Amino acid sequence: MKPQPAPTPAFVTRLGDATIAGVYDGKRVMPLADSFVANAPRATVADALAAGMRSRDTIEIPFTPLLLRLDDRLVLFDTGNGPQAEGTGFGLLLPNLRAIGVAPEDIDTVVISHCHGDHVNGLRDASGQPLFPQAQVMVPRRDLAYWLDADEAARAPEFWQGNFANVRRIFDNPAQPALALLEYEDGDEIAAGVTALAAHGHSPGHMAFRIASGDAAMLLISDAAHLPELFVRHPDWQLMFDMDPDAARETRMRLLDMAAREELPVAGYHWGLPNIARVRPDGEGFAFSRLPFP
C-alpha cells in the first residue's frame, strides 16, 4: 500500500492588500451519533453527508485557524488543539505554520473567537508556557466572563464542566506565565480592517469577524456554521455543540445571508481546506462553492 501523502498545510490566497491563510490543525474522526444534529433524523443527516461526498457513518471535524498577514503584521484567529501525541491526527498548527514560513514568535496578535478547547488549547504547551510568546491575545469579554463564572459552572450541564476547568487553566492560573490579554466586544476594530461581530449561540460570547483590505472584504464566521455540508446547506439544523441552539440558528442565518447578499467570501473554522467559500441562497439553506487552490 502506498503511504498517504501529508495533508496540505495551508490554503493561501489574497484579500486586497492582505494575505489570508487557512492553516490546517488536523481533524478528529468519530461515529455519526444520533444526537449530532438534534433536530434531524440520523438517516437524513447521513444523506446530507453523502450528498457532500462524505462518509455516511462518520463525522470528520477539521480545524482550520485563519492567519492574516497585512504589511508586517501577523494576526492568527484561534489556535487549534495545541500540540498532541504523534498519530492523533490533530494538533498540527505549529508545524504547518512553519511549513509556510511562520514561526510562533512571529505572530503579533492572536484573536480568540470563543473559549471552547479546540480554539484556545493552542495558546499554551503542556507545561503551561505560552506558545505565541510575542502575541497580544484578544478574547471576547462576554465569553471569557461566562467560562470564568463559578455560578455558571455550578449550574452548567455535565457535558460542559470540563471546559470551565480548561478555561481556568489557560486564562486564570497564577502558577503559569500570564498571557498578554486584551478583551474585546462587538463592533471593536481588533486589528487594521478587522471588525468583531457578535455571533452568539454556539457559545455565549461567540464572535465572527469582517475582514477588509483595500476594496476587498470577507467574513470569518468561526463556528457559526459548523460542517458546511450540514449547517450551510441546512442552517435550521441544530448542532449538538451549540450551547443556545435558537440563538445559534439566528446567528447562522444572519451571517450566511450577509455573505450571500454582499457577495463576500466566507470562511469557517471547521470547513477543512480550502476553508473559504462563496455562498448563495438555495431552497431553505445555502449552496456553497469552495474557493479553488491557486
Side-chain angles (χ1 to χ4, degrees):
M1 179 183 294
K2 289 184 177 180
Q4 293 296 309
T8 301
F11 170 71
V12 183
T13 190
R14 297 286 298 176
L15 181 77
D17 298 324
T19 300
I20 298 285
V23 186
Y24 188 62
D25 186 53
K27 66 181 179 182
R28 289 180 184 263
V29 181
M30 57 184 173
L32 173 60
D34 292 346
S35 59
F36 188 76
V37 177
N39 60 340
R42 185 186 185 282
T44 303
V45 177
D47 288 345
L49 289 169
M53 295 192 290
R54 304 292 182 184
S55 166
R56 297 179 60 90
D57 300 316
T58 58
I59 290 290
E60 295 186 359
I61 302 178
F63 311 95
T64 47
L66 195 79
L67 181 68
L68 168 67
R69 181 189 292 273
L70 183 60
D71 299 325
D72 60 347
R73 305 288 295 176
L74 282 171
V75 181
L76 179 66
F77 294 86
D78 292 321
T79 65
N81 295 276
Q84 304 288 322
E86 187 174 352
T88 57
F90 53 95
L92 306 177
L93 178 64
L94 295 186
N96 283 340
L97 282 171
R98 292 188 181 97
I100 59 171
V102 176
E105 56 269 23
D106 296 335
I107 303 296
D108 298 291
T109 304
V110 171
V111 180
I112 298 300
S113 65
H114 63 294
C115 294
H116 289 173
D118 56 328
H119 295 257
V120 301
N121 284 353
L123 284 168
R124 296 186 185 273
D125 65 16
S127 69
Q129 295 298 311
L131 286 170
F132 301 98
Q134 305 303 319
Q136 176 87 69
V137 178
M138 305 192 70
V139 62
R141 184 186 307 276
R142 177 173 173 176
D143 212 58
L144 184 62
Y146 173 83
W147 291 107
L148 292 179
D149 188 319
D151 291 335
E152 294 288 0
R155 57 177 168 259
E158 183 178 356
F159 182 85
W160 291 109
Q161 289 298 320
N163 204 67
F164 284 93
N166 191 55
V167 172
R168 291 194 301 272
R169 175 184 69 84
I170 291 171
F171 293 105
D172 191 29
N173 185 346
Q176 295 181 150
L179 301 169
L181 278 183
L182 182 64
E183 297 178 15
Y184 70 91
E185 298 178 337
D186 178 37
D188 287 350
E189 185 175 38
I190 55 177
V194 180
T195 304
L197 304 174
H200 307 154
H202 179 68
S203 186
H206 180 269
M207 302 296 283
F209 310 92
R210 185 185 181 100
I211 304 173
S213 176
D215 295 330
M218 66 173 288
L219 288 181
L220 170 58
I221 65 172
S222 308
D223 280 15
H226 198 266
L227 300 179
E229 295 84 1
L230 302 184
F231 301 100
V232 174
R233 294 293 295 142
H234 305 275
D236 280 340
W237 285 1
Q238 297 175 1
L239 172 69
M240 66 182 294
F241 304 125
D242 285 342
M243 300 180 68
D244 182 338
D246 291 335
R249 182 170 58 246
E250 185 280 328
T251 289
R252 185 157 48 248
M253 292 294 296
R254 172 170 51 85
L255 292 175
L256 292 172
D257 180 70
M258 181 189 303
R261 183 167 26 86
E262 300 183 26
E263 298 183 348
L264 297 174
V266 56
Y269 183 75
H270 292 293
W271 288 14
L273 299 180
N275 65 317
I276 305 175
R278 299 276 188 178
V279 299
R280 61 173 174 79
D282 183 41
E284 296 181 356
F286 297 81
F288 69 98
S289 178
R290 297 180 190 266
L291 297 193
F293 274 97

